[in-house]
Each structure stands twice: as structure tokens, then as C-alpha cells.
Amino acid sequence: MAVEEEGLRVFQSVKIKIGEAKNIPPYPGPNKMRDCYCTVNLDQEEVFRTKTIEKSLCPFYGEDFYCEIPRSFRHLSFYIFDRDVFRRDSSIGKVAVKKEDLQKYHGKDNWFPLQPVCADSEVQGKVHLELRLSEVITDSGVVCHKLATRVLECQDLPIVNGQCDPYAAVSLLGPSRSEAKKTKVKRKTNNPQFDEVFFFEVTKPLSYTKRHFDVEEDDVDKLALKVDLWNASNLKFGDEFLGEVRVQLKVLGQSGVHDAWYFLQPRDNGHKSVKADELGSLRLNIVYTEDHVFLTEHYNPLRDLLLQSAHVEPVSASAAHILGEACREKQEAAVPLVRLFLHYGKIVPFLSAIAHAEINRTQDPNTIFRGNSLTSKCIDETMKLAGMHYLRVTLKPIIDEICADHKPCEIDPVKLKESENLDTNRENLRQYVDRIFSAITSSGVSCPTVMCDIFFSLRESAASRFQVDPDVRYTAVSSFIFLRFFAPAILSPSLFHLRPHHPDPCTSRTLTLISKTIQTLGSLAKSKSANFKESYMAAFYDYFNEQKYADAVKNFLDLISSSARWDQKSIETPIMLKEGFMIKRAQGRNRFGLKNFKKRWFRLTNHEFTYHKTKGEGALCSIPIENILAVERLEEESFKMKNMFQVIQPERALYIQANNCVEARDWIDILTKVSQCNRKRLSTFHPSAFLNGHWLCCKLSADAAPGCTPCTGGLPANIQLDVDGDRETERIYSLYSTYMSKLVKMQEACGSKSVYDGPEQEEYSTFVIDDPQETYKTLRLVISAVQTLEQQHTQYKRDKFRKTKYGSQEHPIGDQSFQCYIRQQSESSTYSI
């Protein structure tokens, strides 16, 4: 979700690898081990949870999490929890990284010491205050100075134990005073509107004959206003602290007036500091990205250059290929390039051009596409994007069964457990391999068209280049579909979204053995048994040394690399796409039924959307996919509940609350995509609920009244339309900008005489320059387009710096990232705030 600014959209995303924890303090009891899991939180809102690692003080997680961040946040936090024998969860420690510090750790493994979890330090949200110092005439005719403190509102307060009933306590603090006053409690909201004013006497009464307003500076300097936010609790432990703000009265200055937003802060009440590593530490790899995307016309020059890449002769002189040469890792360039070319429907000619060039540079057919080239990385990324549903349909049902059954499949005699039988394990493994092999080789007609077109191009280029090798037309395709698509997905199903977490060690070993066998079956190597270093794998492979397996592979490869476009056939077996617990509001199908909220297990397949009382039970309600007319967010005012969305049907809307903002967005996305081809999809909807006889949004009284707001997801489900072309171009601009020094070196290399008639100089030896004149021409255009965008970004920052007010709702006081921004601008700019 983008944050809209004037002429600009800001996107935030984070990719995290949760590695391992070490030196967790032992459990205080005879059994020292702990069962630990780790959560990822935006401030205090949990958005991801790892699996639980049992009986360990150094748990290894090895889990990856990626999400588009749908809201502003102050901290990215990680909590380690221990689950005891009574299934109760208690926090051991946390890592909290400020948003402005995320770039320090970008893309590197870092060990973070765990800090104690204390209720007084768990704060989020902001408060709007207005202070006014004024003269007041008392009944006795003398003048005193009073402070009027207006607490207007708060935003984004945390939900504590499922509720938020906030109130504010306001105190004037000084050497000899501490008065406290409270607002009313606002029920069931984390965005309370208080708008209450409190008066505090600041100075002693002065003579009425005093001509000028005067407050002694020393007196004001010694005073501070403190605002504490609390959650009114019915529990015996008392109210929960939500955060505080301290404002020194000297901010009033000469005007005597101060109006500003403040971020709530934790309080320091003297907790003893914890020594480093006393609670253990957590290894994390964090990649945080913030894209500032302008209006589309700003990107036209650079985007046009990139999209022409397939038609540049030679392709090594194209803007896209140059990006691959400049980037330190080919993957950096491949991800935005593939998404951009997919979006504009030009991925096949681009991949065909760079693959053809790479094949022509390859000398040995046995090494075709073996390196991590731009071609191989781009085709990998295309298969991940275009083939994710195909992968899920083909492999997920069997992989789910393998993970659930836990059948022993170890065939290494050295690793065999005493209770296991080698022949039984071999048979278990053979059956799994047979089933997966059959699922893959019979799935050709379901392979996405874009993948088939790419494979056709690869096959033709390889067969033309190596005419004496009859099998090269197969190996060129199998090196991707088997070695880089199916085999990795079997090996690590969680990385391909086939499973929510990494499997347990025993299942992981089974999947490793299956993956190795499938990879070898698909490679069509001349001597397959020789491919295995382990003798037990060579012996196991003898089961599959039959011609029927090779024939099945070739038939499959022929089918998916045909130039004819194969229509997707409807899938008869329902495929589970997403499931999990959420809270739904009763739909009121019975006229007198209570419309209350209940926790239900939701399940989405390619056929229907259902909910159940618990997982595994029969469906309480089933909504066919063709009956979903729209899926949209529900405004919070409807039920005073966050993270709600609505699934709109012909007769009514189903209102659902997800567990967090990321999960809500994921459900909306997948429900929208699976229903986008429905013929009766709505073009408008009601963003609020129908309550008390009218729609809260437009106030119309007819429950069948047409929607008052345009729907956000009215386009057909197509991979090209799920990509933001401007955002991808902005990412490519950022890469060019990062590697500008390399682009300049490439320019120098093109102009260097050594490129024409001598050995390449040392610093240019890593660049592929087939045509120096064409490459130089492209580089000049790329650098010019990048510099123009750089100037626009700089101008935007300067304009924003001029307009932005510290203490506004967008940049509350206490916003460390904005303070850093102010400091950077004051150091690099002549503008002042």
C-alpha cells in the first residue's frame, strides 16, 4: 500500500531472514530446555510468527518473511516467546530496531542482543496537544497566569488484551507541585477524540496594576507538562500504561502558545539494566526498502530505453543488459527488470534476446545456463512470478501429505535409526518420487503460456547453436523447469509459498532426497547413476533407470516448449490457496439472528471461500468464487475495529476482521485476484457498514442502494496488471544511481582504444562490451535519464523540507527519522526550517 503525497507515492517493504537465537536463559526447573518461537512486529502489532522450536536454548529458525508494509511505524520488533507445558506463552526478550536505523543493517547478517520486555517501554501512537499561557483576573481583582492544556486526540494507540479504552492523565510538574487531572475514558477505540481543556496555575497572582504580561523566565523553565495515556482496565492489576509525553513550558516562548503532535514515549522508572547477552541474542538479516515514486511521465525516458532492450543490436549494448553488468549481484537487476517487462507484455522478446546471446557465447552444450547469469536469474524470477499458481496446483497437495505423514524415508545406512527398516524406507521414498514425478510430467497443459513461449525460444536457440547434439533442445529447457523450478520448490517449499514454515528435520531430509532424484530424472544425463556422489543414491536411482521415465520427461518438455499456445484447462480438484483463523460478523441470514462477532477458521480454494467452527470441521458457510462481487476494506468507524474487510455477495456482505494489517492485505489481495474474472463484479461499493437502517458512508437508507465509492480491484487477474510499472522503473533508477561509478567506467572502457585493438584493461575486464559505439550511445542516454530523475528527487526533498513543519501530524515531535532528515537537509542545503 502506498502513502500518497503530492505528486508522489511512497512504498515501504521489508524482507527478513530470521536465523537463530543463542544463549537463551534456561528454564527455571529440572527441565532446562525451552520451546521457543519468534514473532515479527510492526511496533506492537504481530505480523508474522515462526514455528516453535522445541527443547533448545539455541533454536534455529531459518525462516524468511517478506511483506509490503501497509502503514507508518516507528519500530520493527522481534520477540522471542517460550511456550511452557501448559501451552502458555511468556516473553523472554525482544529486539526493537528504529525505522531510521534499519539502513544500518541493510542486507547483512547481524547478531542483536535480546532486551527485556517491559510494559513501560512498549509504546506506540501519538497525541495532539495545544498549550496556551494567559492572564486571568481573579474575583479579588488580581492577575495570575494560567496554563490552558487542551488534549485534542490520539492516533494509533495499541490494543491491549483485545481492547483499547484510553484516557489521558495531565500533570504540571515543578519543584514543588505535581497536579494531575484526567480526561474521560473513550471506549473501544485506539484513535480517541478527547478535546478536553485543563487549567493549571503557573505563577503567583500579580498586582492588577502590572501593565505588561510578564512571566519570569526561570519559573517557566522549571515547569513541565506531563501527559500519560492509560488503558482503563477491568483487571485487578490496574490500568495499563500506554505511553507519555513531557513538554517543557519554555516551548511557549514569547507567544505563549504551542500547538503540536507528539509521539508517545516510554517511561524510565529505574529498571536495572540487563547485561549484554544475559537474555541471549538473535541473528537477523533485514532488507528494508522505501520507494519514492513520481508520476508516470517522469519515468518515460528511462522506461522507453529499457523497453527497447530486446531490439537493440547487440543486446549487450541495451539498457537492461548494462544494468545487469553494473549490479554487484545479477539478482538485484533481474527482479525489477522482469516485473517491468512482464507489466508491459515484453518479457518474452527480452528473455529470448539475452538467452540467444548467452547461448552463442557458450562453447560446451553441457554447460548451457549453468552460471548465475542475467539470463538465468531473469528466467528464474519470471517462473516464480508467472508460475506460482502452477507450482501450487502441481506440488502442494503431495508436499502437504508428506509433511503430515512423517513417513521414514532415510536410505543412507549410516543415518538409519535402529527402529527403521531400509527396504521400507526405500519403498516410501520411491512412492513419493513416483507420485511427484507423475504430477510434474502430466502437468504440461497447465504450464503458463508465458513460460511455454520462453521455453520454445530457449529450445530453438540451443538447437540452432549445437546442431550435433540432439538432446540440447531438452536440456536447455530442463535446466530451468526441473533444476531451477520444481527441484528447489520441493527442497524448500516455504520459499515458494507452498508451506507456511520450514519442515521439521526429518521431513526436510525426505524432501531433499526427493528433490535430488527429481532433479536427476529431469536432467536427462547420459549416465544418471554416476551423477550421485553417494552410493546409496546411485543404488536407489536404479528403480528409475527405465526408458518410460526418460520418455515421460521428453514428452513433458516437448509439450511445454511448443510454439502453440495451450489453453489452461479447468482444474477439477479444489486447490487450497489460503487458510487461517479470523473473526467474522454474523451475516444475519436469519431475520432475528444476533449479528455478533465470532472466531472462525476460513479456507479459500480456487472453487469457494468457506468458514468453519474449527479447522477440519464441516463448512458453516460456503461462498462460491463466482458469487464474490468485490473484496474491499471496511472503514474502522463501522464497528470500531481495525483490519476489517468485506467480501461482497449478491445479497449481503460478509464482514471479517484479520489478525493484523499485513494479513488483512494478503487476504484482500488473494480474494480479489481469484475473483477478478467474475462477470458480475461491482464497479462501486460502500466503504462503511449498513447499520441502524442506513449506510454509514453515504447515509442512504436502502440496503440495496448502489455503492458510493469506486471499487479498487476491477481488472482481470493477469500477472501483467499486478505490477506497478512506475515503481519498478524507480527501483531500476535507484540501482543505476547506486552503481553510477561503474557506468562511468563502462563509458571510459567504450572509449578506450584497448577495447578496439588490444587486451581489455584490468578494470574493464568484467564488462561484456560487444559493440563499443552502441554501448557508449546507450550509456550516455541512461546516465542522462538517471541524472534528470536525480534532480527531480533532490528538488522534491528541498520542497518538502521547506513545507514540512516539525510537530505536524505527519511529523510529530519525537520522530527521530524526521530529526535525522532535518539534520541532513540543514547540512546539505541552504534552506532553513
Side-chain angles (χ1 to χ4, degrees):
M1 180 183 292
V3 178
E4 298 282 349
E5 297 182 12
E6 188 176 349
L8 186 98
R9 293 173 297 146
V10 181
F11 294 88
Q12 304 172 97
S13 63
V14 67
K15 182 169 66 175
I16 302 162
K17 187 172 183 65
I18 303 170
E20 59 190 306
K22 66 178 181 181
N23 302 327
I24 300 292
Y27 189 77
N31 178 14
K32 304 291 185 185
M33 297 294 104
R34 292 182 182 268
D35 298 342
C36 297
Y37 63 88
C38 178
T39 67
V40 180
N41 295 55
L42 293 176
D43 297 317
Q44 293 180 57
E45 183 180 11
E46 181 184 317
V47 295
F48 177 73
R49 179 180 296 198
T50 69
K51 62 183 176 182
T52 301
I53 304 299
E54 298 181 348
K55 299 177 182 177
S56 175
L57 299 179
C58 297
F60 177 81
Y61 298 105
E63 298 214 28
D64 298 273
F65 172 65
Y66 171 84
C67 78
E68 297 280 338
I69 299 175
R71 63 170 177 81
S72 60
F73 69 102
R74 292 167 65 187
H75 292 87
L76 184 65
S77 302
F78 305 84
Y79 291 76
I80 298 289
F81 285 92
D82 175 38
R83 174 162 290 180
D84 65 19
V85 292
F86 300 107
R87 310 293 288 175
R88 294 175 304 194
D89 299 341
S90 57
S91 56
I92 296 173
K94 71 172 182 179
V95 172
V97 184
K98 293 178 181 177
K99 179 182 176 180
E100 60 269 21
D101 292 339
L102 287 169
Q103 286 299 327
K104 294 180 187 176
Y105 310 107
H106 186 84
K108 296 177 289 187
D109 275 11
N110 290 277
W111 282 98
F112 294 87
L114 291 171
Q115 301 297 329
V117 177
C118 168
D120 290 339
S121 69
E122 301 288 293
V123 302
Q124 69 180 62
K126 53 192 176 185
V127 60
H128 187 190
L129 303 175
E130 184 183 296
L131 280 61
R132 186 180 299 273
L133 196 61
S134 55
E135 293 181 336
V136 178
I137 304 174
T138 65
D139 293 338
S140 58
V142 295
V143 175
C144 67
H145 300 104
K146 290 197 173 181
L147 175 71
T149 301
R150 184 181 178 196
V151 183
L152 288 100
E153 61 178 309
C154 291
Q155 287 188 354
D156 302 323
L157 296 178
I159 294 173
V160 182
N161 297 322
Q163 67 166 29
C164 191
D165 297 331
Y167 68 89
V170 185
S171 308
L172 184 64
L173 305 179
S176 59
R177 67 174 86 198
S178 179
E179 307 172 56
K181 301 176 182 182
K182 296 180 181 178
T183 68
K184 295 176 182 176
V185 175
K186 298 294 181 180
R187 298 290 177 185
K188 295 183 179 180
T189 177
N190 61 346
N191 297 310
Q193 302 282 329
F194 293 114
D195 202 8
E196 295 190 39
V197 181
F198 303 99
F199 294 93
F200 298 92
E201 185 179 294
V202 174
T203 60
K204 294 178 180 179
L206 299 175
S207 167
Y208 188 66
T209 59
K210 189 84 170 177
R211 292 183 62 188
H212 300 291
F213 175 78
D214 183 26
V215 178
E216 293 182 23
E217 191 67 33
D218 288 343
D219 289 342
V220 174
D221 283 348
K222 293 174 184 175
L223 298 177
L225 185 80
K226 183 163 79 93
V227 180
D228 291 329
L229 268 295
W230 296 85
N231 180 43
S233 173
N234 296 323
L235 302 175
K236 60 181 179 181
F237 314 114
D239 297 345
E240 293 100 352
F241 175 76
L242 299 179
E244 71 172 24
V245 168
R246 288 174 184 255
V247 184
Q248 300 296 324
L249 291 200
K250 60 185 177 183
V251 301
L252 293 165
Q254 294 296 319
S255 68
V257 178
H258 179 68
D259 183 351
W261 283 83
Y262 283 83
F263 268 134
L264 294 175
Q265 303 294 335
R267 62 180 174 186
D268 180 14
N269 38 5
H271 285 290
K272 67 173 185 177
S273 59
V274 176
K275 295 178 183 176
D277 293 337
E278 195 171 286
L279 295 176
S281 51
L282 181 64
R283 180 166 61 88
L284 301 167
N285 188 309
I286 304 170
V287 176
Y288 171 73
T289 305
E290 198 171 279
D291 298 319
H292 293 76
V293 182
F294 291 115
L295 297 175
T296 190
E297 56 265 24
H298 292 278
Y299 298 105
N300 286 340
L302 183 58
R303 180 171 47 237
D304 291 346
L305 263 177
L306 290 160
L307 294 177
Q308 290 165 10
S309 294
H311 309 293
V312 173
E313 289 287 346
V315 74
S316 60
S318 68
H321 195 278
I322 285 170
L323 180 66
E325 291 296 294
C327 288
R328 185 181 57 188
E329 301 287 342
K330 304 294 185 190
Q331 183 76 6
E332 283 183 293
V335 173
L337 283 174
V338 163
R339 295 176 70 86
L340 182 72
F341 281 100
L342 268 172
H343 178 67
Y344 288 100
K346 298 190 175 184
I347 190 67
V348 175
F350 169 63
L351 290 181
S352 298
I354 60 174
H356 185 71
E358 182 174 332
I359 289 169
N360 284 342
R361 284 195 294 268
T362 304
Q363 301 302 315
D364 183 353
N366 294 316
T367 62
I368 196 167
F369 299 126
R370 288 298 172 90
N372 286 322
S373 63
L374 181 65
T375 305
S376 60
K377 289 296 183 184
C378 282
I379 295 178
D380 286 354
E381 193 61 29
T382 304
M383 290 191 300
K384 279 184 183 177
L385 283 171
M388 195 56 71
H389 180 70
Y390 170 47
L391 200 63
R392 183 182 283 270
V393 168
T394 308
L395 292 184
K396 183 170 171 54
I398 306 174
I399 288 179
D400 283 344
E401 187 180 321
I402 293 169
C403 292
D405 287 351
H406 298 290
K407 286 184 181 178
C409 294
E410 182 57 69
I411 58 173
D412 183 355
V414 178
K415 296 181 179 179
L416 205 67
K417 295 178 182 177
E418 289 185 11
S419 59
E420 293 177 354
N421 180 278
L422 185 59
D423 291 337
T424 302
N425 288 10
R426 276 201 190 112
E427 180 58 21
N428 290 341
L429 184 62
R430 188 192 66 76
Q431 288 182 10
Y432 281 147
V433 170
D434 251 336
R435 289 179 60 194
I436 285 184
F437 178 80
S438 176
I440 292 171
T441 53
S442 62
S443 69
V445 74
S446 301
C447 186
T449 302
V450 68
M451 289 171 63
C452 293
D453 290 346
I454 293 165
F455 295 150
F456 172 71
S457 176
L458 296 180
R459 187 184 76 171
E460 294 302 296
S461 290
S464 174
R465 174 75 172 88
F466 301 104
Q467 295 180 13
V468 295
D469 188 339
D471 281 339
V472 74
R473 65 194 183 116
Y474 294 117
T475 54
V477 177
S478 68
S479 62
F480 285 104
I481 193 71
F482 279 101
L483 274 64
R484 293 174 175 267
F485 188 61
F486 284 122
I490 296 166
L491 184 66
S492 303
S494 62
L495 296 182
F496 289 79
H497 308 294
L498 300 179
R499 296 286 296 174
H501 300 295
H502 288 300
D504 61 80
C506 181
T507 305
S508 183
R509 173 65 175 164
T510 298
L511 294 174
T512 300
L513 295 171
I514 296 171
S515 178
K516 290 171 81 170
T517 311
I518 291 294
Q519 183 174 318
T520 306
L521 274 166
S523 69
L524 291 169
K526 300 292 189 297
S527 176
K528 294 169 184 152
S529 295
N531 282 357
F532 295 107
K533 298 174 184 176
E534 310 96 338
S535 58
Y536 63 86
M537 282 301 296
F540 174 69
Y541 198 81
D542 286 339
Y543 285 122
F544 306 97
N545 247 335
E546 296 180 35
Q547 189 59 37
K548 68 175 184 179
Y549 289 100
D551 291 343
V553 169
K554 288 183 177 181
N555 289 337
F556 170 67
L557 295 175
D558 278 334
L559 184 58
I560 65 171
S561 60
S562 168
S563 60
R565 290 178 172 267
W566 292 88
D567 292 329
Q568 294 261 10
K569 288 188 175 178
S570 60
I571 304 157
E572 296 303 324
T573 307
I575 303 300
M576 200 280 291
L577 302 175
K578 188 172 176 64
E579 59 184 345
F581 277 112
M582 292 189 289
I583 294 172
K584 68 99 187 173
R585 182 178 186 259
Q587 298 181 78
R589 289 189 297 271
N590 298 325
R591 187 170 180 180
F592 302 104
L594 291 174
K595 296 183 177 67
N596 54 353
F597 290 87
K598 291 184 178 179
K599 189 174 184 179
R600 292 289 183 255
W601 180 263
F602 284 82
R603 194 169 186 271
L604 174 66
T605 72
N606 55 329
H607 289 182
E608 61 183 354
F609 181 49
T610 59
Y611 61 77
H612 314 246
K613 192 167 186 178
T614 60
K615 184 178 181 180
E617 287 195 6
L620 296 174
C621 174
S622 172
I623 303 172
I625 296 300
E626 58 268 24
N627 281 1
I628 297 178
L629 306 184
V631 185
E632 299 286 348
R633 293 187 178 276
L634 187 70
E635 289 183 354
E636 192 177 327
E637 65 167 349
S638 298
F639 302 107
K640 306 295 184 186
M641 294 167 69
K642 295 175 73 69
N643 306 319
M644 288 200 73
F645 64 94
Q646 51 184 318
V647 179
I648 304 170
Q649 308 163 68
E651 301 296 326
R652 65 183 70 83
L654 173 61
Y655 300 131
I656 303 171
Q657 183 187 35
N659 295 314
N660 57 64
C661 59
V662 171
E663 188 177 286
R665 198 182 71 90
D666 287 347
W667 273 105
I668 293 170
D669 281 353
I670 194 166
L671 280 163
T672 299
K673 285 173 186 174
V674 82
S675 63
Q676 269 178 339
C677 291
N678 291 350
R679 283 182 244 172
K680 295 183 179 180
R681 276 190 65 85
L682 297 176
S683 58
T684 60
F685 77 108
H686 292 283
S688 293
F690 184 82
L691 293 174
N692 302 321
H694 68 276
W695 293 100
L696 297 182
C697 41
C698 56
K699 310 305 179 187
L700 293 175
S701 57
D703 61 354
C708 56
T709 304
C711 287
T712 56
L715 297 172
N718 186 322
I719 186 69
Q720 297 172 13
L721 299 173
D722 291 335
V723 174
D724 187 321
D726 294 337
R727 184 180 181 185
E728 300 309 324
T729 313
E730 168 65 25
R731 286 181 169 178
I732 292 169
Y733 148 75
S734 296
L735 288 171
Y736 277 132
S737 182
T738 301
Y739 294 107
M740 181 57 74
S741 61
K742 281 193 178 183
L743 298 182
V744 173
K745 278 190 176 181
M746 288 177 77
Q747 255 191 331
E748 293 172 0
C750 291
S752 167
K753 191 174 181 181
S754 66
V755 173
Y756 293 92
D757 47 41
E760 293 184 353
Q761 294 181 20
E762 184 70 26
E763 64 264 38
Y764 309 139
S765 61
T766 58
F767 303 145
V768 174
I769 302 176
D770 295 320
D771 186 327
Q773 291 182 340
E774 280 297 317
T775 307
Y776 185 90
K777 188 193 304 181
T778 304
L779 278 163
R780 185 164 48 80
L781 293 170
V782 166
I783 291 172
S784 173
V786 170
Q787 288 174 340
T788 301
L789 279 167
E790 186 73 51
Q791 290 167 3
Q792 290 165 346
H793 275 280
T794 302
Q795 188 60 47
Y796 166 76
K797 289 177 182 176
R798 286 177 177 171
D799 291 345
K800 183 179 179 182
F801 180 65
R802 275 191 230 160
K803 297 174 185 175
T804 302
K805 179 184 175 184
Y806 191 40
S808 64
Q809 185 174 357
E810 295 76 23
H811 300 288
I813 295 172
D815 182 350
Q816 298 300 320
S817 61
F818 183 68
Q819 287 178 313
C820 292
Y821 173 71
I822 292 286
R823 188 163 55 250
Q824 290 167 2
Q825 291 298 314
S826 62
E827 290 171 356
S828 61
S829 170
T830 57
Y831 297 107
S832 59
I833 195 161

